Amino acid sequence: MSYDTQPKASHFVDGAYLEDTAGERIPVIYPATGAEIGVVYAATPAVIEKAITSGLRAQAEWAGMMGVERGRVLRRAADILRERNRDLSVLETYDTGKPLQETLVADATSAADALEYFGGLAGSLTGEHVPLGADWGYTVREPLGLCVGIGAWNYPTQIACWKGAPALACGNAMIFKPSETTPLCALKVAEILIEAGAPAGLYNVIQGAGAVGGALITDPRVNKVSLTGSVPTGQKVYATAAAQMKHVTMELGGKSPLIVFEDADIDNAVGGAINGNFYSSGQVCSNGTRVFVHEAVKDAFLARLSERLKGVVMGDPMDEAVNIGPMVSDRQREIVMGYIAKGLEEGATLVSGGTAPKQDGFYVEPTVFSDVTDEMTIAREEIFGPVMSVLPFCDEDEVITRANATEFGLSAGVFTRDLTRAHRVIGKLRAGSCFINSYNDAPVELPFGGVKASGVGRENSKAAIEHYSQLKSVFVRMGDVEAPF
Ligand code: NAP
């Protein structure tokens, strides 16, 4: 990594990089080689305290500014992210192993979208006037205070901004704790926000594993926790937050259905299934990993999919021709290979892939199983890797029932040329983020989030404002007060 690209210390607190080597050593591993490319140290109690006190101080200043002034800072940060897209994309690739081909168009760019979008909204976050006969009332939209963001490792820059941008637009401060697996990218977001004019302490980034996240969310000075992570972590964090009645947003895992009807455009459906299973080596929460394909087109679908899989270019993620990179970690590769073994053991038919190439780095081939049944482990549990399960179906009602038979409810997709059916089926699928004749688009203008075990709250869009602000209502009496005595 070039000196300019690499963050200069473990933490970014109170407007500057901060080091404290007394914390637990966390190696930074480049997933494409397995080599240690850096080191950060988990936040010590002193670092956590500084993050909280500087956050509280900055929040008071920030909340006192006009919305348009806050918005200007966010929009400036968006511009800087875009100007430095290439450097930030290279850093994202070092952090995650995702191909540069992807990171150049999906990470700093989507983070910039969030900063730009919420920066634009910041000046129009108002309450309302409520006429009450001779009297009246009004509401004031107020910030929550100090928010904590805890990120997963698959989209470190994007998650830092999907949480930070709406939080800051609403007048809050944020302490962001990245996943210990991908500690680098959020530091650059913090650095850029300062450059864009944010007050020191407004957006602090501190490193560490679950214990640091735990220390933050149990602190009574923290008012909100937004987590992106797995369901088990979400359950723990939600319960901890509930003990102090803190606000929460939970963006958790999924096992989403992607349904291909017999009248679908097969090439588009295959394209959707590729995007919904193999982008970022399958490490995407909303992936449509249960691909239900109508019996009548199953063979055609699998034939076209096999053909298009010949276009996979797996290798050095810094090579822009490469479209499949490694898993984020050795552990994640082991988990994915364990699921592939389970798929074979339980009788699914391996159509493609299935192996981890013997080379440096944590690679797993894009893998497709057909003849998968609803009971198989690979059809029930989130794998978070490049493993697609194809399940045949015959009937619309049947596929809706089967698609909904899961604890998760993050996403769902339908491919069909029948407009009425598309909307009818989507209407019956229990999922938060849905797609018709597409898969995995996540524009900042649309709410993103899950139902059931996949989470609570929404990120992106105007809906996110509800989750980073609260309403104060004020009753104004214009006449005398009547009282019983
Ligand atoms: P994870 O293991 O649940 O960890 C998520 C974050 O929580 C990490 O920063 C982790 O720290 C931290 N953490 C773990 N235990 C904690 C605790 N007790 N208290 C506070 N923080 C704690 O998830 P992951 O493996 O990083 O990410 C994969 C999961 O994220 C998948 O299930 C995926 O579906 C989900 N995800 C969801 C979305 C969405 O928007 N719905 C988006 C992306 C990913 P350490 O990792 O440093 O220990």
Side-chain angles (χ1 to χ4, degrees):
M1 265 185 284
S2 77
Y3 177 74
D4 281 347
T5 308
Q6 191 166 14
K8 296 170 180 61
S10 298
H11 318 289
F12 195 98
V13 175
D14 204 8
Y17 277 102
L18 175 67
E19 194 55 277
D20 182 350
T21 54
E24 189 198 333
R25 186 180 191 279
I26 301 171
V28 183
I29 306 294
Y30 182 35
T33 60
E36 185 175 311
I37 54 166
V39 61
V40 294
Y41 296 88
T44 55
V47 169
I48 295 173
E49 185 58 25
K50 189 167 182 185
I52 291 175
T53 49
S54 64
L56 290 169
R57 192 201 62 233
Q59 196 268 325
E61 180 190 339
W62 182 246
M65 287 164 60
M66 285 174 58
V68 282
E69 294 175 313
R70 294 201 297 263
R72 204 172 296 139
V73 171
L74 300 188
R75 285 184 292 105
R76 243 185 251 133
D79 289 345
I80 300 173
L81 277 159
R82 288 211 178 88
E83 278 160 23
R84 299 189 194 151
N85 183 41
R86 178 159 284 272
D87 275 359
L88 294 168
S89 302
V90 167
L91 188 68
E92 176 95 19
T93 293
Y94 275 123
D95 228 1
T96 61
K98 292 185 293 182
L100 195 55
Q101 188 192 90
E102 276 188 28
T103 55
L104 281 169
V105 296
D107 293 283
T109 53
S110 64
D113 285 352
L115 289 161
E116 185 174 7
Y117 178 85
F118 288 105
L121 279 186
S124 55
L125 303 177
T126 57
E128 57 179 355
H129 169 264
V130 184
L132 298 166
D135 303 316
W136 58 285
Y138 64 96
T139 60
V140 186
R141 187 164 287 284
E142 297 189 332
L144 300 174
L146 183 57
C147 302
V148 164
I150 299 178
W153 40 254
N154 56 345
Y155 282 82
T157 310
Q158 183 189 79
I159 294 172
C161 289
W162 278 20
K163 297 187 188 308
L168 268 44
C170 291
N172 304 286
M174 174 161 276
I175 302 173
F176 187 79
K177 188 207 82 70
S179 163
E180 63 185 309
T181 313
T182 52
L184 303 179
C185 294
L187 291 165
K188 298 305 275 189
V189 172
E191 190 187 317
I192 286 169
L193 277 163
I194 287 294
E195 222 179 307
L202 186 71
Y203 186 91
N204 293 322
V205 173
I206 65 172
Q207 308 295 344
V212 171
L216 289 172
I217 58 186
T218 48
D219 193 291
R221 294 168 290 180
V222 167
N223 307 99
K224 148 118 199 177
V225 183
S226 177
L227 170 83
T228 296
S230 60
V231 173
T233 303
Q235 284 162 335
K236 273 188 236 156
V237 171
Y238 198 173
T240 307
Q244 290 177 16
M245 217 54 88
K246 292 186 203 291
H247 294 251
V248 295
T249 297
M250 293 286 146
E251 290 292 351
L252 308 177
K255 189 75 198 176
S256 302
L258 191 168
I259 304 173
V260 181
F261 283 100
E262 66 276 24
D263 63 347
D265 178 311
I266 294 299
D267 228 19
N268 279 334
V270 168
I274 288 171
N275 289 342
N277 281 271
F278 301 133
Y279 204 69
S280 302
S281 292
Q283 301 164 116
V284 179
C285 51
S286 49
N287 271 356
T289 47
R290 289 182 295 145
V291 183
F292 291 96
V293 183
H294 193 279
E295 277 287 5
V297 292
K298 194 189 91 177
D299 290 346
F301 178 91
L302 286 173
R304 188 67 189 116
L305 178 61
S306 298
E307 231 172 276
R308 286 183 60 171
L309 279 165
K310 291 183 192 142
V312 167
V313 184
M314 192 163 77
D316 175 3
M318 292 296 175
D319 175 350
E320 280 181 55
V322 163
N323 52 29
I324 293 280
M327 307 272 74
V328 77
S329 63
D330 198 18
R331 179 167 170 265
Q332 194 60 22
R333 177 177 57 178
E334 289 305 309
I335 291 171
V336 173
M337 291 312 294
Y339 277 110
I340 290 173
K342 265 259 183 271
L344 292 168
E345 198 183 300
E346 292 178 9
T349 305
L350 185 66
V351 174
S352 181
T355 61
K358 290 198 184 347
Q359 63 182 82
D360 287 343
F362 314 129
Y363 290 86
V364 175
E365 284 183 316
T367 299
V368 178
F369 281 109
S370 68
D371 306 313
V372 177
T373 63
D374 298 351
E375 299 71 34
M376 289 181 185
T377 309
I378 56 169
R380 285 187 293 105
E381 297 182 11
E382 182 182 46
I383 299 174
F384 224 58
V387 183
M388 183 194 301
S389 292
V390 176
L391 303 93
F393 76 93
C394 299
D395 167 81
E396 182 178 311
D397 286 341
E398 168 217 330
V399 77
I400 291 168
T401 306
R402 290 171 61 195
N404 283 334
T406 166
E407 63 173 309
F408 300 107
L410 188 49
S411 293
V414 174
F415 276 85
T416 174
R417 287 195 175 94
D418 180 338
L419 198 62
T420 315
R421 171 153 67 186
H423 294 288
R424 182 173 64 235
V425 172
I426 284 292
K428 290 179 183 167
L429 291 173
R430 297 189 62 205
S433 303
C434 297
F435 310 93
I436 292 177
N437 292 331
S438 191
Y439 206 88
N440 261 355
D441 315 73
V444 68
E445 295 89 340
L446 268 177
F448 182 83
V451 302
K452 300 199 279 181
S454 291
V456 292
R458 291 292 177 269
E459 293 194 315
N460 289 345
S461 81
K462 284 179 258 178
I465 298 300
E466 299 295 329
H467 301 288
Y468 284 100
S469 61
Q470 56 198 344
L471 287 178
K472 173 180 279 174
S473 64
V474 183
F475 179 94
V476 182
R477 185 174 294 286
M478 301 300 285
D480 294 332
V481 174
E482 276 182 35
F485 53 86

PDB file of all heavy atoms in Angstrom, residues 10-21:
ATOM      1  N   SER A  10      -4.341   3.411  14.283  1.00  0.00           N
ATOM      2  CA  SER A  10      -5.476   2.500  14.479  1.00  0.00           C
ATOM      3  C   SER A  10      -6.822   3.216  14.539  1.00  0.00           C
ATOM      4  O   SER A  10      -7.830   2.719  14.052  1.00  0.00           O
ATOM      5  CB  SER A  10      -5.297   1.732  15.790  1.00  0.00           C
ATOM      6  OG  SER A  10      -4.144   0.942  15.746  1.00  0.00           O
ATOM      7  N   HIS A  11      -6.832   4.356  15.206  1.00  0.00           N
ATOM      8  CA  HIS A  11      -8.107   5.034  15.490  1.00  0.00           C
ATOM      9  C   HIS A  11      -8.101   6.437  14.892  1.00  0.00           C
ATOM     10  O   HIS A  11      -7.028   7.017  14.658  1.00  0.00           O
ATOM     11  CB  HIS A  11      -8.338   5.135  17.002  1.00  0.00           C
ATOM     12  CG  HIS A  11      -7.978   3.881  17.734  1.00  0.00           C
ATOM     13  ND1 HIS A  11      -8.713   2.723  17.647  1.00  0.00           N
ATOM     14  CD2 HIS A  11      -6.909   3.584  18.538  1.00  0.00           C
ATOM     15  CE1 HIS A  11      -8.135   1.775  18.380  1.00  0.00           C
ATOM     16  NE2 HIS A  11      -7.040   2.275  18.925  1.00  0.00           N
ATOM     17  N   PHE A  12      -9.294   6.979  14.701  1.00  0.00           N
ATOM     18  CA  PHE A  12      -9.404   8.387  14.316  1.00  0.00           C
ATOM     19  C   PHE A  12     -10.386   9.003  15.299  1.00  0.00           C
ATOM     20  O   PHE A  12     -11.584   8.735  15.265  1.00  0.00           O
ATOM     21  CB  PHE A  12      -9.903   8.518  12.868  1.00  0.00           C
ATOM     22  CG  PHE A  12      -9.696   9.901  12.318  1.00  0.00           C
ATOM     23  CD1 PHE A  12      -8.592  10.191  11.524  1.00  0.00           C
ATOM     24  CD2 PHE A  12     -10.584  10.928  12.606  1.00  0.00           C
ATOM     25  CE1 PHE A  12      -8.385  11.474  11.023  1.00  0.00           C
ATOM     26  CE2 PHE A  12     -10.381  12.207  12.112  1.00  0.00           C
ATOM     27  CZ  PHE A  12      -9.284  12.487  11.314  1.00  0.00           C
ATOM     28  N   VAL A  13      -9.868   9.790  16.214  1.00  0.00           N
ATOM     29  CA  VAL A  13     -10.689  10.300  17.325  1.00  0.00           C
ATOM     30  C   VAL A  13     -10.406  11.788  17.522  1.00  0.00           C
ATOM     31  O   VAL A  13      -9.243  12.217  17.475  1.00  0.00           O
ATOM     32  CB  VAL A  13     -10.374   9.522  18.640  1.00  0.00           C
ATOM     33  CG1 VAL A  13     -11.130  10.115  19.826  1.00  0.00           C
ATOM     34  CG2 VAL A  13     -10.732   8.044  18.483  1.00  0.00           C
ATOM     35  N   ASP A  14     -11.448  12.536  17.736  1.00  0.00           N
ATOM     36  CA  ASP A  14     -11.333  13.974  18.016  1.00  0.00           C
ATOM     37  C   ASP A  14     -10.533  14.699  16.939  1.00  0.00           C
ATOM     38  O   ASP A  14      -9.692  15.543  17.223  1.00  0.00           O
ATOM     39  CB  ASP A  14     -10.690  14.193  19.406  1.00  0.00           C
ATOM     40  CG  ASP A  14     -11.077  15.564  19.977  1.00  0.00           C
ATOM     41  OD1 ASP A  14     -11.933  16.243  19.370  1.00  0.00           O
ATOM     42  OD2 ASP A  14     -10.515  15.941  21.010  1.00  0.00           O
ATOM     43  N   GLY A  15     -10.813  14.321  15.685  1.00  0.00           N
ATOM     44  CA  GLY A  15     -10.244  15.051  14.555  1.00  0.00           C
ATOM     45  C   GLY A  15      -8.857  14.617  14.130  1.00  0.00           C
ATOM     46  O   GLY A  15      -8.263  15.244  13.252  1.00  0.00           O
ATOM     47  N   ALA A  16      -8.299  13.568  14.717  1.00  0.00           N
ATOM     48  CA  ALA A  16      -6.934  13.180  14.348  1.00  0.00           C
ATOM     49  C   ALA A  16      -6.723  11.681  14.550  1.00  0.00           C
ATOM     50  O   ALA A  16      -7.437  11.034  15.324  1.00  0.00           O
ATOM     51  CB  ALA A  16      -5.930  13.952  15.210  1.00  0.00           C
ATOM     52  N   TYR A  17      -5.695  11.169  13.836  1.00  0.00           N
ATOM     53  CA  TYR A  17      -5.326   9.767  14.056  1.00  0.00           C
ATOM     54  C   TYR A  17      -4.786   9.605  15.469  1.00  0.00           C
ATOM     55  O   TYR A  17      -4.160  10.516  16.016  1.00  0.00           O
ATOM     56  CB  TYR A  17      -4.270   9.334  13.027  1.00  0.00           C
ATOM     57  CG  TYR A  17      -4.915   8.937  11.718  1.00  0.00           C
ATOM     58  CD1 TYR A  17      -4.904   9.798  10.626  1.00  0.00           C
ATOM     59  CD2 TYR A  17      -5.556   7.714  11.593  1.00  0.00           C
ATOM     60  CE1 TYR A  17      -5.523   9.432   9.427  1.00  0.00           C
ATOM     61  CE2 TYR A  17      -6.177   7.343  10.406  1.00  0.00           C
ATOM     62  CZ  TYR A  17      -6.152   8.204   9.334  1.00  0.00           C
ATOM     63  OH  TYR A  17      -6.772   7.841   8.166  1.00  0.00           O
ATOM     64  N   LEU A  18      -5.062   8.446  16.042  1.00  0.00           N
ATOM     65  CA  LEU A  18      -4.688   8.205  17.433  1.00  0.00           C
ATOM     66  C   LEU A  18      -4.177   6.763  17.547  1.00  0.00           C
ATOM     67  O   LEU A  18      -4.800   5.837  17.022  1.00  0.00           O
ATOM     68  CB  LEU A  18      -5.945   8.381  18.311  1.00  0.00           C
ATOM     69  CG  LEU A  18      -5.834   8.066  19.794  1.00  0.00           C
ATOM     70  CD1 LEU A  18      -4.912   9.065  20.497  1.00  0.00           C
ATOM     71  CD2 LEU A  18      -7.225   8.115  20.454  1.00  0.00           C
ATOM     72  N   GLU A  19      -3.065   6.598  18.207  1.00  0.00           N
ATOM     73  CA  GLU A  19      -2.523   5.246  18.406  1.00  0.00           C
ATOM     74  C   GLU A  19      -2.438   4.944  19.894  1.00  0.00           C
ATOM     75  O   GLU A  19      -2.175   5.841  20.707  1.00  0.00           O
ATOM     76  CB  GLU A  19      -1.138   5.145  17.754  1.00  0.00           C
ATOM     77  CG  GLU A  19      -0.637   3.724  17.612  1.00  0.00           C
ATOM     78  CD  GLU A  19      -1.617   2.829  16.844  1.00  0.00           C
ATOM     79  OE1 GLU A  19      -2.569   2.322  17.485  1.00  0.00           O
ATOM     80  OE2 GLU A  19      -1.445   2.640  15.639  1.00  0.00           O
ATOM     81  N   ASP A  20      -2.703   3.695  20.237  1.00  0.00           N
ATOM     82  CA  ASP A  20      -2.494   3.244  21.610  1.00  0.00           C
ATOM     83  C   ASP A  20      -2.191   1.754  21.508  1.00  0.00           C
ATOM     84  O   ASP A  20      -3.104   0.922  21.404  1.00  0.00           O
ATOM     85  CB  ASP A  20      -3.765   3.506  22.450  1.00  0.00           C
ATOM     86  CG  ASP A  20      -3.566   3.081  23.906  1.00  0.00           C
ATOM     87  OD1 ASP A  20      -2.539   2.424  24.202  1.00  0.00           O
ATOM     88  OD2 ASP A  20      -4.437   3.393  24.735  1.00  0.00           O
ATOM     89  N   THR A  21      -0.904   1.434  21.542  1.00  0.00           N
ATOM     90  CA  THR A  21      -0.494   0.053  21.291  1.00  0.00           C
ATOM     91  C   THR A  21      -0.726  -0.857  22.501  1.00  0.00           C
ATOM     92  O   THR A  21      -0.390  -2.040  22.461  1.00  0.00           O
ATOM     93  CB  THR A  21       0.998   0.002  20.889  1.00  0.00           C
ATOM     94  OG1 THR A  21       1.748   0.668  21.892  1.00  0.00           O
ATOM     95  CG2 THR A  21       1.237   0.668  19.547  1.00  0.00           C
TER      96      THR A  21
END
